[in-house]
Amino acid sequence: MTKLSVNINKIATLRNSRGGDLPNVVQFAKDVQRFGAEGVTIHPRPDERHIRYQDARDLKPEVYTEYNIEGNPVESFLNLVLEVKPTQVTLVPDAVNAITSNAGWDTIKHKDFLIDVIKEFQQNGIRTSIFVDPVLEQIEGAKATGTDRIELYTESFAHQYSLGNKDAIKPYTESAVLAEELGLGVNAGHDLSLDNIKFFKEHIPNLLEVSIGHALISESLYLGVENVIQMYLRKLK
C-alpha cells in the first residue's frame, strides 16, 4: 500500500493570516497521524510565509510516522534539516518568488551540486528524494546523484486528467518503471486529489508515497479531515 503523507503548509498559512497560533500546526500534525496518515510533510521557504523553521523543530518530537521536509537546499534549509534530522528530505528547486513548486530538477545540469548535498544528508542518516519531471533522461540523471528516491512532479498529469486526457499518465508510468529498474524508490506529489489519486496509483508501479496538501486541506473543508484521510487511504490500497 502506498503511504499517504499530509502536507500541512496550508494550516500554517491559515495560522499566519491572523498572526496567532490558531490553527495550531503541531496539533494538526498529531491529529492527521491519529486519523491514519502515515506521514507528515512540510515545505519551509526562506521567507517563512507559511511553515516556519521553528515549526520544523517543534514538529520533530511529535511526528512518529514519516517526517518529510521539502525545500530548496540553500544554506539555511540545509542547516535546518541537519539539525532536525527528519525521516526524509525532498529536494525541490524552488525559485524565491514561486507561489508553489513549479518544476523538477535538471538532474544533469545540477548533478555535482546534488551529489554533494545528498551525500551530506545521507551521512547524517536522512533518506533523500529529488523532485523531478517525468522525463526519462532526468530519472537517469537522478540515479547518478546517489539519491534514494525521486518524487514525480504530478501537476501536468493532474491538469490533463481534469480535462479528460488519461494518456497524460504515460510518461509517469514510464518514469516509474525506469526508476524501479535503476533501484530508485518512487514518491509523487503536486495537485493529486481525491478525483485523480486512484487512477494515478493504479498506473504507477511500486509507488511508495504520495505527499498531498492543498487538495486534501481544501476537500477537508467540506468533508472533514478524518473522513478525507480515510478516503485517501482507501483509494491508495
Side-chain angles (χ1 to χ4, degrees):
M1 181 172 145
T2 304
K3 288 185 177 180
L4 170 66
S5 185
V6 176
N7 186 318
I8 62 174
N9 272 30
K10 282 296 182 293
I11 302 305
T13 302
L14 184 58
R15 174 199 63 188
N16 296 353
S17 69
R18 289 294 294 266
D21 195 30
L22 186 68
N24 183 276
V25 169
V26 173
Q27 184 59 52
F28 194 83
K30 291 179 181 179
D31 290 338
V32 297
Q33 292 174 102
R34 180 166 55 87
F35 296 154
E38 295 135 323
V40 173
T41 292
I42 60 171
H43 190 145
R45 288 179 167 83
D47 62 6
E48 299 187 297
R49 63 180 181 264
H50 31 63
I51 285 290
R52 300 167 182 154
Y53 279 30
Q54 187 57 45
D55 292 328
R57 300 181 181 100
D58 294 342
L59 285 162
K60 172 64 175 180
E62 306 299 340
V63 179
Y64 53 85
T65 57
E66 298 268 348
Y67 188 15
N68 175 45
I69 301 183
E70 300 179 339
N72 194 334
V74 297
E75 184 177 2
S76 58
F77 177 86
L78 191 149
N79 291 337
L80 175 72
V81 173
L82 292 176
E83 174 190 345
V84 174
K85 289 187 170 59
T87 316
Q88 175 177 269
V89 59
T90 300
L91 307 180
V92 183
D94 287 328
V96 174
N97 60 350
I99 295 175
T100 186
S101 305
N102 55 19
W105 283 96
D106 184 334
T107 58
I108 299 168
K109 179 179 179 180
H110 299 288
K111 174 184 174 181
D112 292 340
F113 171 72
L114 289 168
I115 286 174
D116 290 342
V117 172
I118 287 166
K119 185 180 297 183
E120 184 157 14
F121 286 137
Q122 290 175 337
Q123 287 174 346
N124 282 271
I126 304 167
R127 188 174 70 224
T128 59
S129 180
I130 300 178
F131 199 58
V132 293
D133 296 307
V135 177
L136 298 184
E137 292 82 0
Q138 297 301 331
I139 309 303
E140 292 171 345
K143 174 62 177 179
T145 69
T147 190
D148 301 299
R149 296 186 183 185
I150 56 169
E151 178 174 327
L152 293 172
Y153 171 40
T154 50
E155 188 274 337
S156 177
F157 157 75
H159 176 66
Q160 290 297 318
Y161 184 85
S162 71
L163 300 176
N165 179 17
K166 294 185 177 180
D167 285 343
I169 195 67
K170 289 182 179 178
Y172 293 88
T173 302
E174 293 169 357
S175 295
V177 169
L178 176 59
E180 183 182 11
E181 291 173 354
L182 295 174
L184 294 172
V186 177
N187 299 339
H190 206 91
D191 289 349
L192 295 174
S193 69
L194 286 174
D195 291 333
N196 58 39
I197 190 64
K198 189 173 190 296
F199 180 86
F200 186 82
K201 165 69 166 65
E202 289 173 345
H203 289 80
I204 304 300
N206 297 307
L207 180 62
L208 298 176
E209 175 185 298
V210 291
S211 173
I212 305 179
H214 182 79
L216 188 151
I217 301 304
S218 299
E219 292 155 349
S220 296
L221 293 176
Y222 292 94
L223 302 172
V225 181
E226 182 173 8
N227 183 40
V228 165
I229 288 174
Q230 290 301 312
M231 293 170 74
Y232 272 102
L233 293 175
R234 287 194 293 273
K235 290 174 182 288
L236 287 169
K237 285 183 179 178

